[in-house]
Amino acid sequence: MDKYVKLMVMIAVVALLFWGLGSIMGLFAPTSYFTIGWGGNNQVASYYGVYFETQFKTIAGHVVVRNSAIWPEAPMYTMSLMFALLTQLFVLPKRRPVFVTILIISMASTLTSTAILILVGLATYYLWRATNVFFTVVPVGTRADGIAGCICTRDVCF
């Protein structure tokens, strides 16, 4: 399990660097392009074969690349990161705050509703453990783009 977490952290660091400096800031261009047949024939930008721009999301009228690392979809990357994060937090005895931070930032950079719900769930768990106050997330509509929540104690919700 420890080797899996370390591998995912290494992949996350590389993906965050290429995603942040290449895809988001545009400091360097992709080194090659591939055509993949995942969901139709799509042209995918590659950075040295270790990071790929496979999916995009429109946020407030701006098209943003979703960090999917080496996976064909960001939710698949999120699932792998989630297993590593939960293993690091709840299975492995050694605490590694740097690993946890890298995995959390990587999950957020995928821009997936799954990552948002997992991270809010973890924040709720740790907030509840520390203070007996928790934050409940209530999805609004059929998409996770609309999320409402309330702060609750044992007796009352706001």
Side-chain angles (χ1 to χ4, degrees), residues 90-107:
F90 299 113
V91 176
L92 297 177
K94 187 174 184 180
R95 297 289 174 230
R96 296 182 181 128
V98 173
F99 281 20
V100 170
T101 302
I102 290 168
L103 293 168
I104 288 172
I105 292 169
S106 294
M107 284 181 69

Side-chain angles (χ1 to χ4, degrees), residues 131-143:
T131 64
N132 278 338
V133 175
F134 61 95
F135 181 82
T136 331
V137 176
V138 181
V140 178
T142 58
R143 295 182 54 159

Side-chain angles (χ1 to χ4, degrees), residues 24-61:
I24 300 300
M25 298 175 70
L27 295 179
F28 48 90
T31 56
S32 62
Y33 292 87
F34 295 94
T35 301
I36 61 170
W38 189 268
N41 288 332
N42 296 314
Q43 190 81 7
V44 175
S46 169
Y47 293 81
Y48 302 99
V50 296
Y51 169 77
F52 301 88
E53 293 179 348
T54 59
Q55 292 184 317
F56 302 87
K57 185 169 182 93
T58 303
I59 299 175

